[in-house]
Amino acid sequence: MKVQVCIIGGGPSGLLLSQLLHLKGVDTIVLEKHSREYVLGRIRAGVLEHGFAALMREARSGERMDREGEIHEGFFISRDGVLSRVDLHKYSGGNSVIVYGQTEVTRDLYDARDRLKGAVEHNVEDVQIHDVKSDAPFVTYRRGDEIVRVDCDYVVGADGFHGVSRKSIPKEVLREYERIYPFGWLGVLSRTKPVSPELIYCKHERGFALCSMRSQVLSRYYIQVPLDDRVEDWSDESFWAELKRRLPEKVAGDLVTGPSIEKSIAPLRSFVAEPMRYGRLFLAGDAAHIVPPTGARGLNSAASDVYYLYHALIDHYQKSDDAGLDAYSQKGLARVWKAQRFSWWMTTLLHKFPENTPYENKLRETELDYLFSSEKALGSLAENYVGLPF
Ligand code: FAD
Ligand code: PHB
């Protein structure tokens, strides 16, 4: 089989890129390790920036997002029980975010690929990348006993943090930067009315908590837990009780609880791999960088990679101009590092770190006091949260 661009990974990055390229007449295949049901079963991001939404529309996949997604012009931060609102609209110069789940984004992209009869291969095993330093790279995968070969011009590694693409770049070429946080987020999805019309990020002496949502009848809540906690150790009752302890009293009183329909623990990690290009292999999204979810930047950072790569590939195919491809890694990383900085800052500000001294705790409290006393500081938070320009 021969395609122009072979995309490894059928998560949001891979699907969005293949859909955008297809609409411009560039031939792609997406190779996904898992079944579609499995990919759609993962509950992840909930907050989209408008740059991402614009790409979804360009990919003719934004209709349901525009109909069902909720525009949020602000969110709350609770400081040990006291609520303060961050007015995103005011401090970002009129911008906002869209609350629409990653599961729905992915479903819309799969539907769009189906409508165009785009090639998406599921349950592929043992994907291997070959000869990316040559002009004729190829990818192989196994389906049952059969080995399939895909010849292509370019390979895009959009296979997430645990994928094969990044690992296929030689160690002496790749530089990795990493920070692993000593806690995770225990998340619960429940068919209940959200406790607040806007998200609430809670800093509390017992640990961080977040009240989020997917719709007016579907809530998503998180609490910070030690890294060695296991989901099985948390009954629904113990989760709700711990969440309530970390919320302001009034909010805890209003919280509607119910059975969890999904419960999982996500470890928190900051990670960047440089460069994002090796020969004819380009990394995009979580394959190249990870942020802790506190700043809601992960999927949005993946979108900026897709944006740069899409335009670079179109310039290559339509104008024989490779400047975008040559600049991809440098351009992508410049924005990626800003998302890293912001996510690290939000995480440090709002979580309880076991190793923190009383001095460092005072500094965090002072940082929050400063934030809410300075329009410039709120402006910086707002412009990063709604997303820096591509
Ligand atoms: P992935 O979604 O990981 O997709 C990669 C795909 O590649 C997967 O389908 C995988 O099965 C496949 N794959 C892996 N290995 C192989 C292989 N060898 N061969 C073929 N296929 C393979 N981001 C935000 O912007 N806003 C938020 O509010 C937000 N909240 C989050 C909350 C949580 C709890 C978590 C965990 C993450 C959150 N994120 C958020 C981050 C966001 O979910 C990720 O950044 C996003 O999923 C990245 O998309 P991706 O397509 O690059 O990677
Ligand atoms: C979510 O709804 O899953 C969510 C929202 C905001 C975040 C992280 C996760 O910062």
Side-chain angles (χ1 to χ4, degrees), residues 13 31 75 87 121 186 206 257 312 341 364 388:
S13 305
L31 304 177
F75 63 83
D87 189 334
E121 289 289 322
L186 169 63
R206 295 183 65 87
T257 63
R341 183 205 70 81
R364 289 195 310 150
L388 298 171

Side-chain angles (χ1 to χ4, degrees), residues 34 81 83 92 105-106 113-114 119 125 143 152 159 166 168 175 188 197 219 226 268 286 292 307 341 372 383:
H34 293 288
L83 273 187
S92 70
V105 166
T106 312
R113 295 312 293 126
D114 288 348
E125 293 174 82
R143 203 176 28 201
C152 53
D159 48 354
R166 187 182 68 253
S168 73
R175 177 129 195 231
V188 157
S219 297
L268 265 63
D286 278 18
Y307 176 90
R341 183 205 70 81
F372 285 104
E383 76 165 347

Side-chain angles (χ1 to χ4, degrees), residues 12-13 32-34 42 44-47 102 159 286 296 298-300:
S13 305
E32 166 57 49
K33 184 179 178 178
H34 293 288
R42 289 189 299 227
R44 286 177 165 182
V47 174
Q102 177 170 335
D159 48 354
D286 278 18
L299 180 57
N300 291 307

Side-chain angles (χ1 to χ4, degrees), residues 104-137:
E104 306 312 317
V105 166
T106 312
R107 193 186 304 280
D108 294 343
L109 287 167
Y110 272 131
D111 287 349
R113 295 312 293 126
D114 288 348
R115 280 197 298 275
L116 294 186
K117 301 200 174 11
V120 182
E121 289 289 322
H122 282 280
N123 301 311
V124 301
E125 293 174 82
D126 197 17
V127 170
Q128 292 182 25
I129 302 169
H130 309 267
D131 293 355
V132 285
K133 289 296 264 183
S134 79
D135 288 344

